[in-house]
Amino acid sequence: MNIPIELLRSFVSIQETGSFTRSAEQLRLTQPAISAQIKRLQQLVGGEVFAKSAFGVSLTEKGEIVSRYARRILAMNDQILSLSGSGSVSKSLRIGIPNVFADSMLSNVIVACRGGSDGERTQFSCEPSQDLARSLASGYLDLAFIVSPRNPPAQPIYRWSEQLCWSCARDFLLSPGASIPLLSWPHGISDQAAIEALENAGLQYLIVFVASDLAGHLAALRSRMGYFVLPERVVPADLKIAREHYLPSLPTCEAGIYIREGLETSKPVLAIADVMADIIGPRTGNPSMRPREKV
């Protein structure tokens, strides 16, 4: 028994577009045809691969497993077809950037990577580092800049350290004896580092704001709601790095540019990694970070 490749192509397209309708448009199929393909795929794998909600579709636990294998199969399929030299298969290099670096670096990375992609299409993803790491492991991304305090992903091309810091509004003042007001990004690097540091120091804290995007946290900081942990070099100029004596010290995080397992390190791929390192990697003028090193 074999799974037809078109079923996997439709499955991955739905993941990338977020809906059956947009996937049908992308693949030039009807929506009933897409639905029939996914129904057939679910029969073959023995369970639901998508969960539907008012906000679109998401992968089920079984769908996550299928996704990891489907992307590898499609990548190998396209590589085999590219041997014909006909140029009929459009290559795409998928690149990930953490969203906390988007405001300061994303536009420069996009422009530079497009200029150095040597004919390959480039697709960009901007998500929290832990999501980028999962996407890289599942084969959805080819290259990613990832910041992780522990268990960094394998196969780095470049690596360095990022210093985390407390940030707040320039005129923010905390009343003596008050609990430390904390801005929370659930399951993010900032939460892991902040809560661990506060609890290790035996300090009382109060979560006063919750969001899963950088824009919301910056707006809350500017409204003097409290403290938020960021990589030191991305703290906006209108905010400040908080060095109050009562705040516990924060760790450095391993960071780097990582490559997908099994991806051929061709000259175009390495050239893109070099371009990303030139834009993203720390400069030697900042003593708080280890200069980047090529692995």
Side-chain angles (χ1 to χ4, degrees), residues 3-13 41 66 70 73-74:
I3 297 178
I5 198 79
E6 61 268 20
L7 303 190
L8 301 180
R9 187 81 66 185
S10 295
F11 169 68
V12 169
S13 175
L41 178 62
V66 173
I73 291 170
L74 290 173

Side-chain angles (χ1 to χ4, degrees), residues 3-256:
I3 297 178
I5 198 79
E6 61 268 20
L7 303 190
L8 301 180
R9 187 81 66 185
S10 295
F11 169 68
V12 169
S13 175
I14 292 168
Q15 285 182 257
E16 294 180 347
T17 61
S19 78
F20 282 61
T21 301
R22 287 193 290 270
S23 175
E25 293 171 355
Q26 182 186 72
L27 298 176
R28 297 181 181 179
L29 297 171
T30 64
Q31 186 167 336
I34 289 284
S35 298
Q37 287 181 342
I38 298 305
K39 183 177 180 180
R40 175 58 179 155
L41 178 62
Q42 291 178 155
Q43 290 172 343
L44 290 171
V45 302
E48 299 284 332
V49 294
F50 288 117
K52 296 182 180 180
S53 71
F55 303 102
V57 296
S58 60
L59 292 175
T60 62
E61 185 176 347
K62 185 180 288 288
E64 292 278 4
I65 298 171
V66 173
S67 176
R68 288 197 293 271
Y69 293 113
R71 293 182 184 279
R72 294 175 186 175
I73 291 170
L74 290 173
M76 289 186 286
N77 175 81
D78 293 348
Q79 288 169 9
I80 292 172
L81 290 177
S82 70
L83 296 175
S84 67
S86 64
S88 59
V89 179
S90 179
K91 297 180 180 178
S92 180
L93 190 65
R94 298 158 298 183
I95 299 168
I97 304 289
N99 43 15
V100 294
F101 286 83
D103 187 57
S104 59
M105 299 180 183
L106 182 59
S107 60
N108 290 336
V109 170
I110 290 174
V111 171
C113 288
R114 281 178 175 168
S117 60
D118 195 27
E120 293 189 340
R121 292 187 299 116
T122 49
Q123 176 184 337
F124 294 88
S125 179
C126 195
E127 300 177 284
S129 279
Q130 66 269 25
D131 293 337
L132 295 177
R134 282 196 293 268
S135 295
L136 194 70
S138 68
Y140 176 64
L141 292 176
D142 299 308
L143 285 170
F145 164 34
I146 298 173
V147 180
S148 177
R150 53 179 68 91
N151 300 324
Q155 292 188 269
I157 296 179
Y158 285 93
R159 61 186 176 193
W160 61 86
S161 294
E162 291 283 347
Q163 178 62 55
L164 298 180
C165 72
W166 299 98
S167 61
C168 66
R170 288 189 170 275
D171 56 351
F172 175 73
L173 293 174
L174 184 64
S175 300
S179 297
I180 294 174
L182 184 64
L183 279 58
S184 171
W185 190 318
H187 312 297
I189 290 171
S190 58
D191 267 25
Q192 294 173 15
I195 292 174
E196 187 173 291
L198 291 168
E199 291 185 346
N200 287 343
L203 296 173
Q204 295 293 320
Y205 63 92
L206 179 66
I207 293 177
V208 296
F209 179 82
V210 178
S212 295
D213 67 282
L214 182 61
H217 282 94
L218 294 180
L221 285 172
R222 290 172 179 132
S223 299
R224 302 185 296 279
M225 289 197 70
Y227 295 102
F228 183 55
V229 170
L230 282 170
E232 188 172 288
R233 64 191 176 118
V234 301
V235 176
D238 63 327
L239 300 173
K240 75 172 183 178
I241 296 174
R243 306 188 190 278
E244 283 81 303
H245 66 89
Y246 51 79
L247 292 173
S249 60
L250 293 167
T252 58
C253 290
E254 284 298 312

Side-chain angles (χ1 to χ4, degrees), residues 256-274:
I257 295 171
Y258 297 86
I259 187 171
R260 171 173 60 81
E261 182 181 357
L263 179 67
E264 181 184 354
T265 51
S266 61
K267 287 184 178 180
V269 170
L270 293 176
I272 291 294
D274 291 344

